[in-house]
Amino acid sequence: MTPQDAQEPNDSRWSDLDRPPLNATALRRALLRGDGLWTELEVVQHTGSTNTDLVARAVAGTADEGTVLVAEEQTAARGRLDRQWTAPARSGLFFSVLLRPAEIPVARWGWLPLLTGVAVATALSRAAGVDTALKWPNDLLVGVGGEERKAGGILAERAGEDGVVIGVGVNVTLREPELPVPAAGSLALAGASSTDRDPLLRAVLRALEDWYGRWRAAGGDPMVSGLQETYAAGCATLGREVRAELPGDRSITGEAVAIDGDGRLVLATQEGVQEPVGAGDIVHLRPA
């Protein structure tokens, strides 16, 4: 990406008046404080993937902890399991942040995407006035016409020895004809009281800063920080019969009964075994 790309005027691209551009100057003024987590915030008009870009910068040593990279449009965004994720320009919140929790044991870094999920869900519930829930491990759910729909996702990637880049994508104003799959949703389709992306992004980043601070202050302990309890309280997967599709074409079916201390989903199988799942795709088989 060239500097010209980052400074490209919006006028030629701003064809949808319902989707105004983000105000980078106002966002920096609101979020960048000397004593705060966020140290740099950049808004680019378009890129392949904010995660890819920020991981590269982190590895090269050109990004500090607290760097936030926001894109108005992504052309090569990825979800979990390398799934492609697309959305129209300025229709959502597409951003990545760089965290360096060097003093926290690496074994506890697996809580970072769940922590981000809690921050995103609670912030958008308040700021957009929608009911949100989390599908383990990293999907944001909203209700659309009585159905649970996925409105967002989170992807965490290691960035060198001491860094983690966390990418967040949330559909804000997507309309039904624009949905990539029928099971997708957006804040607008869920009846959001506000779809103004500037205050929504501010709310999410402030909530993420708050939860990250609590988690670090507790040495990464999910119980002491309150993270484990809060995640479980907002997790729509718990109490449901689910199928966990695991690497190696293996699957487990059972009731999701708990989130353990490592952030894994614990399934109670018909064989009477409680089996923790640390990675995989979860399919909800029946309502909670």
Side-chain angles (χ1 to χ4, degrees), residues 170-186:
V170 177
N171 297 331
V172 177
T173 59
L174 246 67
R175 308 168 183 112
E176 284 281 359
E178 297 172 324
L179 297 176
V181 294
S186 69

Side-chain angles (χ1 to χ4, degrees), residues 221-238:
D221 189 310
M223 290 191 66
V224 174
S225 63
L227 177 58
Q228 186 173 359
E229 180 181 7
T230 305
Y231 186 90
C235 182
T237 303
L238 292 179

Side-chain angles (χ1 to χ4, degrees), residues 154-166:
I154 295 158
L155 178 66
E157 298 184 75
R158 285 292 294 269
E161 291 298 315
D162 66 345
V164 180
V165 168
I166 302 179

